[in-house]
Structure formats: structure tokens, C-alpha cells
Amino acid sequence: MTVPVTSARAVRGGTGKPLLSIRDFKVEYRTGSGTTVQAVRGVDLDLYPGESLALVGESGCGKTTFGLGLLRLLPRLGHASGQVTFNRGDGTEIDVLGLDGRDLRQFRWRDAAMVFQGAMNAFNPVLKIRGHMHDTMRAHTKATKQEIEERAAELLRLVRLEPERVMDSYPHELSGGMRQRVLIAMSLLLEPEVLILDEPTTALDILTQRSVVDVLHEVRERLGFSMIFISHDLSLAAELADRVATMYAGRIIETGGVRDMFYKPRHPYTLGLIKAVPPIVGDLPDLESIPGGPPSLAALPTGCSFHPRCKFATDECQEVDPPLIPITDEPGDAHDVACIHSDQVHLERRTAS
Amino acid sequence: MTAVDETPAVQDASGKPLMTLDGVSQVFDTKAGPIRAVDQANLSINPGEVLCLVGESGSGKTTAARMAAGLTRPSSGQVMFDGTDIWSLKKRDFRDFRRSVQYVHQDPYASLNPTRTIQQTLTAPLLKHGVVKGKQAAAERAYELLTKVDLTPPENYLSKYPHQLSGGQRQRVAVARALTLDPKIIIADESTSMLDVSIRISVLAMLGRLRDELGVGFLFITHDLAIAKYFGWRGRTAVMYLGRIVEFGPTPRIINAPTHPYTRALIDAIPEPDPDLTRTKNAESLRSLEIPSLAHLPPGCAFHPRCGRFEDGLCDGDVPQLIQVRPGQSAACHVVARDGADEPAA
């Protein structure tokens, strides 16, 4: 189950130095019965400045745990290990997993912020939005009241909200889509270089979801931060991502540019996910489902964890857990896959019309 | 790109509809005053047909479905089943009606009794309603039903409890339970929206097979137009907004050639699982993102404060009626009614 740390990956794709460099990242949870379960099993990933990376996969694949682990927000029974290096704009390198106390608080919000699923739970229900803005800014900066007001208003306008109205509202007085946009504005208060969004539009109505997506497009263009967004919705990844990483059973099993991933997926699981999404434009497509469900992390299949659901699986797949390796020689076109049968995997169905 | 010519013919009133919602309204009294959750809706379901009801939260989809299922009595209008107003039925006949129309909820974890095994869940209605005689026969029927919903081999599931099953498996059990009483119509209310993409498609495929093999009709409620398209392609779709049906027609038409600005906005807003396509989609412009409260509906067309095609004096006057704009397709929009529906872009 050991995954080789491929340092070769680091220089591929993207430009310059990665903002976030993740090597052999693991998260373990202690269970009630004294055992441990590995929810993230050795992830290697680089996030480049300005890049938007989508992390996709079914529920229970470790996506949220991965995001929480990166920001050291795991519950007490969780433990993260490996190497996470954050390269600050000023040239300093930060060992995220070694941070503590004040430094850790500085890293969160200032360097990296997270927008959670279910916006209501992220707010203090008895505090107006103004209170949230001031609390966040005061905890991290020496900004004056006036400066905080201006900064908050600027960001609220950026997410297409009226500061005059929103600042004096309690969270419950806002609609779901407004709350989600307030959260995005708040997460950007301290100009983080990385934004992690966990299912940012799930549970929102279609038109509201569209407005949040449009807002994300806009603010990213204006502010130029990098983002990792976690989603089970592949269409959202198609819309928002520069690069896509597919996660299965705690590992990244394929990663590549968004066009490569959607038009030329090479892992049977990515292929299966794409073939299961009904498009809205055009005729009735042939959809296929992936049989079964993700395995329990406490009882993973031998070899490749996907083999029991995979139509390409052979005997060898029960023995070998393939590492994530590059499959393309084209420079700047990093596409890595963890499958010994990747040369047989082809998406034939869809052509961009 | 659109497949309008290949649109399967939808027999509208050729066959006798099994169920008709005839001008039904549901008014709830609240502190803020009366709320019309559903306002004069007309719908019909033919035997074996799929009728999709789509719309955002608060549009009245579930309220309409509850009236169709006989769970709530409409404030006005009639629910007709097999030609009779269900609220004029005698107690026993009403019970028969309730057997014929089964409801599958969104969350199978909430709708299945956690203390009952799957076998008990399935045999209880069979025995209670006397569908089969004796426990042995009931057990055999339960076995059969699990096979129908692809939970095979059934012996692996019969003695399990809901918490031992995955979400997709639980929803299949909920469908099997709905089938115990040989329903003519299944009302599926967001039945697949809690499931992961890949599992969702297999559950929908299973429901589609039930429709074909057993001739069950579906009232299929979803907020996800792509799912309505996939499941209801051969049927019809009604789009609801703030309690009213604003567009209605054969599903391929609603999806590929919508006429009402609201339907257009919904369809344009959905991201596509295709990076090039989704980034070049043009969106119907909206003036506002705010959904008005049902307690304070705007005058005239309820969509006018958000609609990009709003015309002063036209749209905020009378409430637009649902009228035919193309053969088999109707919309409730003053602008479309005046200008006609532009033909779908080829």
C-alpha cells in the first residue's frame, strides 16, 4: 500500500514553483474500537499559483477529510502525516503540518481559507454579518473599525451583495445563496492565496448555484487566488476547474488538465463518473452506472481498491495497487493515472458540439 | 443539436388519463396571511406515463404531489383518479385508491422503519392489505420484489436492517415497498437526489424498467432538469414557479426548446459535464436573484421582478395564463403569448 513519492511530478505541469506542495499526505482516524482507519492514503499533489483544482469522487472517498487535513481542521480523532509545504509569496516556505498555536492561526485565513458546505452551520446565529467580519479581521490584523467596514463592503460588493443590507443582517435573515456568498466574501477578507471550498453549491437551487459559480469566476479573475474545490458534481468541475483530480478510497487515482480529464479520461473510475452524468444539452445520452459503491476504508480490497467495481479488472489488479504515474510525454500537459490498464480506457461517447 | 424532429409523439388526451389534477389549489393559513402553495394546477398522468414536475424549492412541487397522493385535500379543484373525484370516494374505495398510488420519499433512511428487517418491511403491507395469504407467500413475494429492484441475491438482504444498507440499496427497498401493493402510479419525490451520481443512474434505470415492464406511471418530482430529461424523455414535463405551472410539454421540447424565460434561465444555468460546452453556454439574463415570498407575490406574472424580458405594463398587470405556444407545448408568459415562440435554434 505504500505509494512512491514521485518527485518527478513536482516539475511537471503548471508554471514555476507550486504554491502548495503535498507529498505522501495521509490522514488516519482512530475508531472507537481502538483501531485506526486511513481515510487519506498517501496523496501527492501540487497546486500552482492562480490554479483552480477540482477534487471529485463519490461520497466516502476522502475528499472532505483531505481538505480538512490540509488546513489542520481535523477532529481530535484524526491525525495527518506526510509533507505539506506552502510557499508564501515572499519566498518563505511553511511546513504546514509542523505549525502550531499562533503560526497555525496565521496560516489559516491569511494563507489559506476554507468555505464549508452548509453555510448556516459556519455562522454564529446570534451574530450579525458585521460581527463576523469584525471578529475575523480583528483576530488576524490590526485594522481599524473603518478599515474593516471598507474591506468588508468591498468584498460583499464583489460577490454581488449590498453591504448596507447584508452587514446588519443575521445569518438566518439571508437566503442560502446569499449566505454562501457572504462566506466566500469572508474567506477572502485576509487575501488568502489558497481557498478551499467544500461542495460550495450543493443544496442550492439551480439559479442560486449559477450565481455562486459566476461569483467564483469573477472573484478569482479579480483576486487571482488559487483554489481547491471539492465536489461530487462533475459538471461543476468542468465549469470551474483548470485541473481535476479524481479521488477514490483515500487516494488520487487520476489527475490532469480539465479537457484531458473530461475528453480523454484514462482511469476506469473517472470514465465511469463521467459516463454517469446526464448532460442537459442535446439528445438523450447513453448513461452507465458504476456497479456497487466505494469500499469501506476499514476493509479495503487487495490490490487496486477499485478492482471489484471495474470492468477492465484482471487477476493482476487484485494484487497490485498501481502508483500514480505520468502517461503523457507532451510537455506541460501533466496527466497521471494509477491503473495498469489505462491504455484500454477510452471515452467514446461525447464530442463537444 | 436539438432533436425536435425525433421527438416521440406524446399522446396527450388520446388515452384516458389515469389521474387528473383539475384546477387544484392548496392554500395554507399562516401568520403572514394565506399562502397559495399551489395555484390552479392542471395535470394529468396517463397509464404508464412519466410526468415530471420540476422547479426550485418552494415552487409547490411537493404540495402538488401530496394532493395527487391523497395525503392532503386541495383547498379547491379536484383530484380525479380513474374518472372519480378521490375525495368523494367511500372509505373502502379511498383505501383502494391509496394502494394504487404509492409515494417514494427523498430520504429512505427516514422513510424506512429502522427496527424492521427488510423482510418485515416488505411483508407487513402484503399481509395487512391481504395481497397474499400467509407468511410463507408473503416471504416469497418479498423475495420476488427484491429481485425486481435488483437487490440480488435477495437472501443477502431480507434479514438486514436499513442501517446495514447503502443509500442506493435503501432507496431500492423503498421502491420495493411501494411495489408491494401493485400500484398504478408511483410518486417519486426527489427520490434520487440524495444518491451519488453513479448510483443515481442505476436506480433511475431500475425505475425505468419498472415503468416498461409493469406499466407503472410516474409522477417524478425533481429540482434537477438533467435527471428529468434522463428519466422523463418519453413523457411530459411541467415546470413550476411559485405555485404555478409556467411551462408544460413533451420533455424533449421543454429541455431543448423551452419558451418561458424561467425555464430558459433554469436550463441555461445548469453546468454541463463538458468543459468546452459549459464555458461557452449563453445564459438567459436575470434582473434579480431574489425569489419573492409566496406570502407577498408580485402582481401579474410572479417571475416579472427577475425576468430579463420584463415589459412595464404588460408583465405586472394580469397573471398570465398557461396557453399553447407550440403544438403540445404551453407556457404562461405574456411576451411569448404576444410574440409567439421563436423556433429553437438548430
Side-chain angles (χ1 to χ4, degrees):
Chain A
M1 210 169 62
T2 49
V3 181
V5 182
T6 48
S7 54
R9 265 222 84 255
V11 289
R12 298 162 46 77
T15 45
K17 211 172 174 188
L19 191 60
L20 203 54
S21 181
I22 300 159
R23 290 292 173 276
D24 199 24
F25 184 69
K26 290 176 182 156
V27 176
E28 283 183 344
Y29 286 116
R30 271 182 290 143
T31 67
S33 45
T35 55
T36 59
V37 164
Q38 235 179 42
V40 178
R41 303 186 298 132
V43 166
D44 297 342
L45 200 65
D46 291 319
L47 182 70
Y48 289 88
E51 187 178 46
S52 164
L53 174 81
L55 208 56
V56 300
E58 292 162 288
S59 8
C61 285
K63 306 187 300 291
T64 297
T65 295
F66 175 78
L68 292 173
L70 276 188
L71 288 195
R72 306 272 310 279
L73 290 167
L74 290 168
R76 201 176 292 177
L77 291 171
H79 174 73
S81 63
Q83 186 64 42
V84 180
T85 311
F86 178 80
N87 293 303
R88 223 176 235 159
D90 60 13
T92 45
E93 278 192 8
I94 296 167
D95 171 18
V96 175
L97 297 186
L99 290 176
D100 166 5
R102 205 183 120 80
D103 293 337
L104 180 57
R105 283 196 299 277
Q106 284 293 315
F107 169 72
R108 294 185 194 142
W109 290 96
R110 249 177 191 291
D111 293 327
M114 187 151 178
V115 176
F116 294 94
Q117 183 178 7
M120 194 61 204
N121 301 331
F123 287 107
N124 177 344
V126 298
L127 201 58
K128 289 182 179 170
I129 301 306
R130 168 169 287 114
H132 287 92
M133 295 282 185
H134 281 261
D135 277 5
T136 307
M137 284 290 273
R138 276 205 304 265
H140 294 270
T141 67
K142 295 196 176 83
T144 63
K145 259 189 174 170
Q146 184 59 29
E147 284 166 348
I148 297 173
E149 285 289 318
E150 281 167 16
R151 176 82 182 138
E154 182 193 339
L155 282 165
L156 287 173
R157 265 183 234 114
L158 202 58
V159 296
R160 298 194 207 153
L161 291 170
E162 298 164 34
E164 304 76 32
R165 186 188 149 195
V166 172
M167 287 288 267
D168 286 314
S169 299
Y170 287 99
H172 76 266
E173 295 176 312
L174 304 175
S175 71
M178 291 167 87
R179 280 200 291 267
Q180 199 67 41
R181 282 180 283 155
V182 170
L183 269 193
I184 291 171
M186 267 174 67
S187 68
L188 297 171
L189 272 177
L190 297 157
E191 298 178 63
E193 291 184 68
V194 179
L195 193 59
I196 299 177
L197 302 116
D198 188 3
E199 303 278 7
T201 63
T202 308
L204 298 179
D205 271 319
I206 304 164
L207 294 177
T208 319
Q209 171 179 339
R210 167 52 53 192
S211 74
V212 172
V213 168
D214 289 348
V215 155
L216 277 174
H217 273 304
E218 267 175 41
V219 290
R220 208 163 70 85
E221 207 159 286
R222 286 277 295 279
L223 305 178
F225 53 86
S226 309
M227 71 186 186
I228 298 179
F229 72 94
I230 295 163
S231 181
H232 69 278
D233 183 346
L234 267 85
S235 304
L236 202 63
E239 166 110 22
L240 274 173
D242 304 321
R243 203 147 58 88
V244 179
T246 314
M247 209 161 170
Y248 190 75
R251 284 189 56 198
I252 287 175
I253 49 95
E254 183 168 10
T255 171
V258 65
R259 299 185 78 253
D260 269 355
M261 289 291 276
F262 276 90
Y263 301 133
K264 290 180 276 180
R266 299 293 295 278
H267 194 288
Y269 182 59
T270 312
L271 178 78
L273 288 177
I274 292 170
K275 285 187 135 181
V277 184
I280 192 78
V281 167
D283 290 340
L284 194 64
D286 278 332
L287 299 180
E288 267 175 49
S289 62
I290 309 172
S296 156
L297 291 164
L300 287 176
T302 58
C304 169
S305 329
F306 187 60
H307 87 256
R309 304 173 70 189
C310 182
K311 61 181 177 187
F312 298 91
T314 55
D315 289 349
E316 206 185 342
C317 300
Q318 302 179 26
E319 286 151 28
V320 187
D321 194 6
L324 190 65
I325 49 167
I327 51 159
T328 166
D329 304 327
E330 292 164 50
D333 247 353
H335 189 167
D336 300 359
V337 64
C339 174
I340 54 174
H341 298 303
S342 66
D343 54 336
Q344 295 170 33
V345 179
H346 298 290
L347 176 66
E348 281 156 19
R349 178 164 58 85
R350 200 170 295 145
T351 47
S353 49
Chain B
M1 205 157 62
T2 48
V4 175
D5 294 333
E6 293 155 37
T7 303
V10 176
Q11 59 282 57
D12 198 346
S14 54
K16 212 175 75 180
L18 190 56
M19 177 185 270
T20 315
L21 270 61
D22 198 357
V24 293
S25 300
Q26 185 71 269
V27 183
F28 295 118
D29 285 318
T30 68
K31 272 187 254 170
I35 281 180
R36 299 186 82 82
V38 172
D39 193 16
Q40 295 169 52
N42 292 302
L43 288 170
S44 64
I45 306 173
N46 296 316
E49 187 199 21
V50 175
L51 177 69
C52 297
L53 215 49
V54 301
E56 295 179 284
S57 37
S59 60
K61 309 184 294 288
T62 294
T63 305
R66 288 178 58 84
M67 287 191 281
L71 295 171
T72 48
R73 191 170 183 159
S75 311
S76 61
Q78 286 179 316
V79 179
M80 311 286 283
F81 186 76
D82 245 351
T84 323
D85 179 353
I86 61 164
W87 293 98
S88 70
L89 291 171
K90 293 202 179 67
K91 211 170 180 183
R92 172 182 295 186
D93 293 334
F94 189 75
R95 219 175 82 143
D96 284 346
F97 157 74
R98 290 284 286 269
R99 280 178 50 170
S100 304
V101 178
Q102 290 290 319
Y103 210 98
V104 178
H105 297 269
Q106 175 170 10
D107 182 0
Y109 205 66
S111 69
L112 296 175
N113 186 333
T115 66
R116 279 187 182 169
T117 63
I118 304 312
Q119 172 152 355
Q120 288 164 341
T121 294
L122 296 179
T123 54
L126 290 169
L127 294 168
K128 181 160 193 279
H129 291 271
V131 179
V132 292
K133 289 228 156 47
K135 284 190 169 170
Q136 181 59 32
E140 281 167 21
R141 181 88 180 110
Y143 188 96
E144 236 173 82
L145 286 167
L146 286 182
T147 317
K148 279 210 170 83
V149 296
D150 297 334
L151 288 176
T152 51
E155 49 270 31
N156 288 0
Y157 299 95
L158 284 166
S159 59
K160 290 214 165 119
Y161 289 91
H163 76 266
Q164 295 171 302
L165 303 180
S166 71
Q169 290 168 341
R170 279 199 287 267
Q171 200 54 286
R172 287 171 194 271
V173 172
V175 172
R177 182 179 57 179
L179 291 175
T180 51
L181 302 175
D182 288 320
K184 297 197 171 74
I185 291 176
I186 289 179
I187 298 179
D189 189 353
E190 298 280 9
S191 301
T192 61
S193 56
M194 286 179 65
L195 306 175
D196 259 315
V197 267
S198 66
I199 294 153
R200 185 181 297 166
I201 293 308
S202 67
V203 171
L204 287 173
M206 180 268 292
L207 291 177
R209 225 185 44 237
L210 296 177
R211 174 197 61 208
D212 296 343
E213 287 173 9
L214 307 176
V216 187
F218 277 87
L219 179 57
F220 188 80
I221 296 166
T222 180
H223 69 282
D224 187 338
L225 278 135
I227 291 294
K229 171 186 174 182
Y230 181 65
F231 188 68
W233 188 251
R234 283 184 288 162
R236 291 175 294 163
T237 293
V239 181
M240 289 189 79
Y241 183 69
L242 291 173
R244 289 184 150 256
I245 296 172
V246 296
E247 185 153 14
F248 182 58
T251 305
R253 279 287 189 162
I254 298 292
I255 300 293
N256 288 333
T259 63
H260 195 286
Y262 178 66
T263 318
R264 288 174 174 233
L266 282 182
I267 287 173
D268 291 349
I270 301 171
E272 296 284 340
D274 180 322
D276 290 344
L277 190 58
T278 198
R279 289 165 203 224
T280 51
K281 241 176 145 178
N282 289 322
E284 172 89 17
S285 64
L286 288 181
R287 298 197 296 152
S288 160
L289 289 166
E290 304 287 304
I291 302 177
S293 152
L294 274 170
H296 305 101
L297 279 185
C301 171
F303 189 57
H304 88 252
R306 305 174 72 187
C307 184
R309 299 169 189 222
F310 166 73
E311 287 183 29
D312 206 1
L314 178 66
C315 301
D316 49 4
D318 299 328
V319 175
Q321 298 301 308
L322 195 63
I323 55 164
Q324 178 161 315
V325 291
R326 288 201 198 111
Q329 186 173 2
S330 46
C333 171
H334 290 306
V335 177
V336 174
R338 186 194 59 201
D339 300 347
D342 35 323
E343 274 313 298

